[in-house]
Amino acid sequence: MPPIKGKDPGDLPIGQHWIKKWPVRTAETPPDVDPESWTLKISGLVEKPLTLNFQEIRKLDVVEIVRDFHCVESWSVPDNKWKGVAVYRILELANPLPEARYAIVRSPGGYETNLLLEVLLCPDTLLVWEHNGKPLSWDHGYPLRLIVPDLYAYKSVKWVSEISLLDEDRPGFWEKQGYHRGANVWSGDRFEKDLP
Ligand SMILES: Nc1nc2c(c(=O)[nH]1)N[C@H]1C(S)=C(S)[C@@H](COP(=O)(O)O)O[C@H]1N2
Ligand SMILES: [Mo]
């Protein structure tokens, strides 16, 4: 596709191309859950484990960011407006213990990914329910999906139901199959074997 109007060529990470239509990529059977009874559990190495429902999450400070979305398969969707809450806002309610350094983020269907706690604490790491002014569709992770803009999209778990803090790094669904544990798009961290 030709360059997207208003985008600098430097906005595209190495090995990526822009696409217009946002595809759906789901490895598990999507969960069959009513959004109003949706809960998010914060577990593991926290002082106060907690469970919040969708309504309680929406009452936290709502933020909006506009960021590109990059899948490791090489497609990138430009300029997505995400609306949600910063994950750190939720984690600070649970109060992570000093030994917590890693996390596993899970969906009910068994998809999971590992993340550094410091990545979850970045202000741009969000749990979102709106995309470009409309509620996310169920296929894209409604009611709550993670967005980690600078990591490949396999880190952006759809239908997030649990964030568990750990003192060790455990690989998630794609990481067990050789995809990179860190997944930084700007350094092109696609596969573990790329490591020096
Ligand atoms: N729960 C869940 N989240 C997931 C996935 C998945 O299979 N299950 N796939 C990941 C991958 S590989 C990508 S590219 C993006 C795709 O998001 P989309 O389907 O909204 O485009 O979701 C990520 N989050
Ligand atoms: Mo992906």
Side-chain angles (χ1 to χ4, degrees):
M1 207 168 89
I4 298 256
K5 214 170 152 243
K7 297 297 276 187
D8 195 289
D11 290 341
L12 200 54
I14 189 147
Q16 297 295 114
H17 64 275
W18 296 121
I19 55 167
K20 274 198 180 141
K21 196 177 173 325
W22 186 17
V24 170
R25 289 285 183 276
T26 307
E28 79 273 35
T29 307
D32 179 17
V33 184
D34 167 18
E36 293 311 314
S37 56
W38 190 263
T39 57
L40 168 69
K41 196 167 142 188
I42 309 296
S43 64
L45 298 175
V46 291
E47 200 186 315
K48 284 184 289 179
L50 53 105
T51 301
L52 297 170
N53 64 33
F54 188 34
Q55 229 186 343
E56 290 165 327
I57 290 166
R58 278 175 299 181
K59 281 192 199 136
L60 301 172
D61 287 342
V62 173
V63 289
E64 276 187 356
I65 58 172
V66 176
R67 299 297 300 271
D68 305 328
F69 186 71
H70 308 288
C71 169
V72 71
E73 289 175 289
S74 84
W75 51 265
S76 296
V77 183
D79 300 328
N80 304 277
K81 186 159 88 172
W82 305 112
K83 179 173 165 179
V85 300
V87 173
Y88 80 84
R89 283 279 174 217
I90 297 175
L91 289 181
E92 70 190 6
L93 300 175
N95 212 1
L97 295 171
E99 54 271 36
R101 290 187 51 211
Y102 305 94
I104 284 274
V105 181
R106 298 195 174 95
S107 80
Y111 188 86
E112 54 183 30
T113 198
N114 61 309
L115 285 161
L116 291 174
L117 176 57
E118 66 190 57
V119 168
L120 284 183
L121 296 177
C122 287
D124 278 1
T125 300
L126 306 186
L127 280 163
V128 308
W129 55 84
E130 260 189 46
H131 177 252
N132 292 344
K134 290 194 208 116
L136 270 183
S137 69
W138 187 250
D139 281 351
H140 287 303
Y142 193 82
L144 221 50
R145 86 170 293 162
L146 192 67
I147 288 296
V148 192
D150 291 316
L151 305 187
Y152 288 115
Y154 60 90
K155 297 294 184 181
S156 292
V157 177
K158 305 193 279 188
W159 312 289
V160 174
S161 57
E162 185 174 5
I163 299 176
S164 192
L165 301 193
L166 310 169
D167 58 3
E168 55 168 21
D169 196 12
R170 288 189 206 150
F173 180 84
W174 286 115
E175 295 83 4
K176 282 180 188 153
Q177 299 178 56
Y179 285 88
H180 201 283
R181 289 176 180 220
N184 188 302
V185 301
W186 300 106
S187 36
D189 296 336
R190 296 169 194 269
F191 305 107
E192 281 298 332
K193 63 173 171 52
D194 292 344
L195 286 174

